[in-house]
Amino acid sequence: MGDCCKSCMSRIPYATLIATVMCLIGVGIFCGTMYRGTSLAIIMFDQVFHLRLLWIEAVQMIFVVVGASMAALGFMILFVGCLATGATRYKVYRAWGSRVGGRISCAIFMSITYLLNIVWILILCFLAVVTFLFTVFWNMCSNPNVQAHRDCIDLTQFYFMFPSETKQEDMKICEQNKVKAFCKDGVEKCEIMFILALLSALLVILSLVHYLMCLAANYAHIRDHEKFQELQEIQNLNEMEYSATSKDRF
């Protein structure tokens, strides 16, 4: 029982497993927080500015697709890591064709992971800008004059976020119920969601970098497996010749 457990433990690709756990946690938090954050943003823009941003709803569906795709990719890379680890590698990649297929699969996954890493870096930069904007909004809401309803929240400097036909007076929030909808119900909750999404995107990037290192190591293991197998065969032949020579002496 102990030898069987030890054999199973030696077949687990721990580095790839850790990267997969990081990826799943990061993608899960990212999809949840971004879906919640964009939903709150839609409600806020509708209640305060009476704007219906349809493209945000499309982005929500993209988050779901991204989450499912990243989870599938993580499990596929984990499967490749299991095949290239421990005694499993000696059984699976014994033939020349299987070794070539293993190297090609590792190369393909490395290319996909590299491209996804670039995409997630762009997502991280976008989230950094969005988080910065909502932090500015929250600082405006924290103004004592705004909280006392003596001043309006002036968003005219952020005119690029509104449709071109929006008037300047519509970019000022003065009514008490709109101030509450913008600050307390919208900006405060959205900022927390976007900060969590920013941190989760960083975790996904780290997991993709970890995947690249694991795939590169698996590629090298599969490539060098043929040399190790030839050395093993030579060693076995030498042992057989030595044992045959010993028998002839006696």
Side-chain angles (χ1 to χ4, degrees):
M1 185 67 180
D3 294 337
C4 181
C5 182
K6 184 177 180 181
S7 176
C8 292
M9 295 293 289
S10 63
R11 296 169 186 261
I12 299 175
Y14 292 101
T16 308
L17 181 61
I18 293 172
T20 303
V21 172
M22 291 170 58
C23 181
L24 293 178
I25 293 175
V27 170
I29 296 175
F30 175 83
C31 292
T33 53
M34 286 300 293
Y35 189 88
R36 177 62 176 166
T38 51
S39 298
L40 292 171
I42 291 174
I43 296 173
M44 180 191 71
F45 278 102
D46 187 24
Q47 292 181 350
V48 179
F49 305 106
H50 305 291
L51 296 176
R52 186 68 176 176
L53 303 179
L54 298 177
W55 61 270
I56 297 182
E57 297 178 357
V59 170
Q60 288 180 320
M61 295 302 300
I62 294 175
F63 293 152
V64 176
V65 175
V66 167
S69 301
M70 289 296 296
L73 177 68
F75 284 118
M76 285 189 288
I77 295 178
L78 180 61
F79 178 73
V80 172
C82 291
L83 294 180
T85 302
T88 308
R89 180 172 68 249
Y90 294 97
K91 294 182 179 180
V92 175
Y93 299 114
R94 185 181 298 273
W96 177 83
S98 60
R99 289 194 295 270
V100 172
R103 291 167 63 182
I104 292 174
S105 62
C106 286
I108 291 174
F109 279 119
M110 278 193 290
S111 301
I112 295 173
T113 305
Y114 187 82
L115 294 175
L116 285 175
N117 199 19
I118 296 175
V119 172
W120 277 96
I121 290 174
L122 295 176
I123 292 175
L124 181 69
C125 295
F126 171 76
L127 283 175
V129 174
V130 173
T131 304
F132 174 76
L133 286 175
F134 274 86
T135 302
V136 172
F137 292 159
W138 178 243
N139 288 332
M140 296 172 67
C141 291
S142 301
N143 190 320
N145 292 327
V146 172
Q147 292 182 351
H149 305 289
R150 289 193 295 268
D151 289 342
C152 298
I153 299 176
D154 189 2
L155 300 179
T156 53
Q157 64 268 35
F158 300 101
Y159 64 92
F160 55 88
M161 297 178 57
F162 297 89
S164 57
E165 63 272 10
T166 305
K167 300 179 181 179
Q168 288 190 357
E169 54 268 19
D170 295 334
M171 301 180 191
K172 295 181 179 181
I173 307 171
C174 299
E175 299 177 10
Q176 184 174 352
N177 59 337
K178 288 188 176 182
V179 171
K180 179 181 178 299
F182 180 78
C183 296
K184 193 68 178 177
D185 300 334
V187 172
E188 182 179 359
K189 296 178 181 178
C190 286
E191 184 183 15
I192 297 174
M193 293 295 106
F194 290 138
I195 290 175
L196 292 175
L198 181 69
L199 296 176
S200 62
L202 182 60
L203 183 62
V204 173
I205 292 173
L206 292 177
S207 69
L208 290 174
V209 173
H210 206 161
Y211 273 138
L212 284 174
M213 294 188 292
C214 296
L215 288 168
N218 292 334
Y219 182 89
H221 289 156
I222 297 172
R223 182 192 60 190
D224 297 335
H225 179 66
E226 184 176 1
K227 298 178 182 179
F228 294 146
Q229 189 173 359
E230 291 176 355
L231 291 174
Q232 185 67 34
E233 291 175 354
I234 293 173
Q235 184 178 1
N236 293 335
L237 289 174
N238 291 334
E239 291 178 355
M240 292 175 62
E241 292 177 356
Y242 178 77
S243 61
T245 305
S246 300
K247 291 180 180 179
D248 292 340
R249 288 181 180 177
F250 296 101

